[in-house]
Amino acid sequence: MKRMKRGLVGISTLLVMSSALAACGSNSNSGSNSTNANTNANAASTNANTTTNTTQAANTNTEPAASGEKVTINLWSFTDEIPNMTKKYIETHPDANVEFKTTVIATTDGAYQPALDQALAAGGKDAPDIYAAESAFVLKYTQGDASSYAANYADLGLDDQLVKDAGIAPYSVDIGSKDGQLKGLGYQATGGAFIYRRSIAKDVFGTDDPATIKTAVGPGWDKFFDAAAKLKAKGYGIVSGDGDIWHPIENSSDKGWIVDGKLHIDPKREQFLDLSKKLKDNGYHNDTQDWTEAWYADMSGTGAKPVFGFFGPAWLINYVMNGQVKGTNGDWAVTEPPTGFFWGGTWLLANKDVTKNDAKTKAVSDFVKWVTLDTSDTGLQSYWANGTMKAGEQGTKDSVASSVVMAKSHGEVPLLGGQNMFDVFVPANANASGKNLTQFDETINKLWRDQVREFTAGKKDRAKAIETFKQQVKDQLGIESE
């Protein structure tokens, strides 16, 4: 999706290990930022591009194919996270007459989307039956250029009542829908919170209570900057760098980057120029860039000055901070942010061609439902939320798509001093909006953030930074400005 024209590339037959951020052991999360989380958060991958494996289940009482053979499901993903779920599905569904052929192509160097596009367009027995898309490019597959390949969930027998009963966050449904028809859902939820240091909160605000800190830093950016001034007076930065406020700004805007086919700069996103400069000019942060060693250092408390907090979903806590905090482990808490937002996520889609075969429709529907809508104790989301993907082993707990599942799960994690993070992430997920994305966000966000940093560094004035941004969008995507 980095260009408006689709490129087609061949698929390598070598093996790949997926990103450490996106697939951490038996219970992991593929949240990423819109440009480079998959490749910059300690990615552990080979130089190859593709993994193909088969996971099989025993014969079944479910509807068989016409000749009684197993139903083969071709599953495509950009990490091994969802393919690993098939093993748990088989374990918990011993009667399922299904085998999964999984293809994993890393997003590194933009390999996944062209390969997926080619496979969907080619069709046939080797075409993807189920495929994954992350937030950086999911709209291409749910609402954009490639949305015609996706089946409506309703055609799989997964209706709106199931979505309602599971308490799926509206932002996730909005992103996964086109013209009122649901085409994709995720298994994790990525509504964002403000993640802050307890010891600093006590020093500056007299308490580390999340209910009090929520009102100290918000709602709204005026209160946030009031808090920044109080923190500075005691030698602290409120965030590590301007990237820490970008995701709340980006995903709380009223409109996305493209309106009626033209580049649109929402006033809230344009305000990022001024808020970023305010952070820098007043010394309210350490002026780091996200996904760099300096950013990680601020998580561990070893940066230029102690930093109060970060904005992010549960995956930032579990798969980024957890490996970086070191001496600050247990000194963190979460509270609701100044404005609702989400960051990252993976959506599961089904090829519309599966509905041509009753047995395959049922097999695909059962797996997709188990991953995205099953609220039982043996559904994927219950295992995911409680870190019980492997029996007898405590894995990582994560925020999941279903608020019903989180309400009955245990979200206490050591990094947060034993706080139940689900108490914050359930409302955070509900307060996020999914109506301001476009299929070109991955490219446009990077161009915008680069120009904002040029402005705050004094290399360009405000008008020139905006002018350059508009020209770059036109040059790279062929999209004119309003």
Side-chain angles (χ1 to χ4, degrees), residues 227-258:
K230 294 175 183 176
L231 286 156
K232 180 185 177 182
K234 289 210 167 187
Y236 305 114
I238 192 166
V239 288
S240 179
D242 69 345
D244 294 307
I245 67 169
W246 166 239
H247 298 289
I249 291 171
E250 174 199 6
N251 286 318
S252 63
S253 65
D254 297 314
K255 295 183 179 180
W257 285 121
I258 310 298

Side-chain angles (χ1 to χ4, degrees), residues 175-194:
I175 291 169
S177 299
K178 181 178 182 180
D179 299 328
Q181 292 292 326
L182 183 63
K183 294 177 177 288
L185 280 179
Y187 42 92
Q188 82 275 62
T190 58
F194 185 61

Side-chain angles (χ1 to χ4, degrees), residues 240-296:
S240 179
D242 69 345
D244 294 307
I245 67 169
W246 166 239
H247 298 289
I249 291 171
E250 174 199 6
N251 286 318
S252 63
S253 65
D254 297 314
K255 295 183 179 180
W257 285 121
I258 310 298
V259 176
D260 297 330
K262 301 283 189 179
L263 177 67
H264 170 79
I265 304 178
D266 187 273
K268 291 180 179 177
R269 294 182 178 184
E270 185 172 343
Q271 187 188 25
F272 181 52
L273 284 160
D274 306 311
L275 297 183
S276 179
K277 186 168 177 57
K278 189 173 183 179
L279 283 172
K280 185 177 178 68
D281 290 352
N282 288 281
Y284 289 154
H285 63 16
N286 282 335
D287 200 22
T288 69
Q289 293 190 54
D290 28 334
W291 312 108
T292 64
E293 289 304 318
W295 192 59
Y296 300 139

Side-chain angles (χ1 to χ4, degrees), residues 326-402:
K326 300 174 185 175
T328 64
N329 192 29
D331 190 34
W332 297 89
V334 292
T335 193
E336 293 177 47
T339 184
F341 74 103
F342 79 96
W343 180 10
T346 302
W347 278 253
L348 209 58
L349 300 94
N351 192 326
K352 67 181 181 182
D353 285 349
V354 305
T355 61
K356 297 176 180 178
N357 178 283
D358 290 344
K360 180 159 281 191
T361 299
K362 178 169 176 30
V364 167
S365 175
D366 285 350
F367 179 72
V368 170
K369 179 181 178 181
W370 179 75
V371 172
T372 66
L373 290 167
D374 186 345
T375 62
S376 73
D377 292 343
T378 56
L380 180 279
Q381 293 191 45
S382 181
Y383 295 125
W384 206 257
N386 292 286
T388 53
M389 285 287 282
K390 286 188 177 179
E393 179 179 312
Q394 181 58 60
T396 302
K397 299 176 180 180
D398 206 353
S399 176
V400 295
S402 170

Side-chain angles (χ1 to χ4, degrees), residues 44-75:
S45 62
T46 65
N47 291 326
N49 293 323
T50 307
T51 299
T52 302
N53 290 306
T54 302
T55 304
Q56 298 187 12
N59 286 333
T60 182
N61 294 323
T62 60
E63 183 180 349
S67 59
E69 74 272 13
K70 290 180 183 296
V71 176
T72 298
I73 295 176
N74 297 321
L75 171 63

Side-chain angles (χ1 to χ4, degrees), residues 455-468:
F455 167 63
T456 59
K459 297 178 181 178
K460 293 178 182 175
D461 63 25
R462 197 176 190 279
K464 185 62 176 178
I466 293 174
E467 178 188 345
T468 303

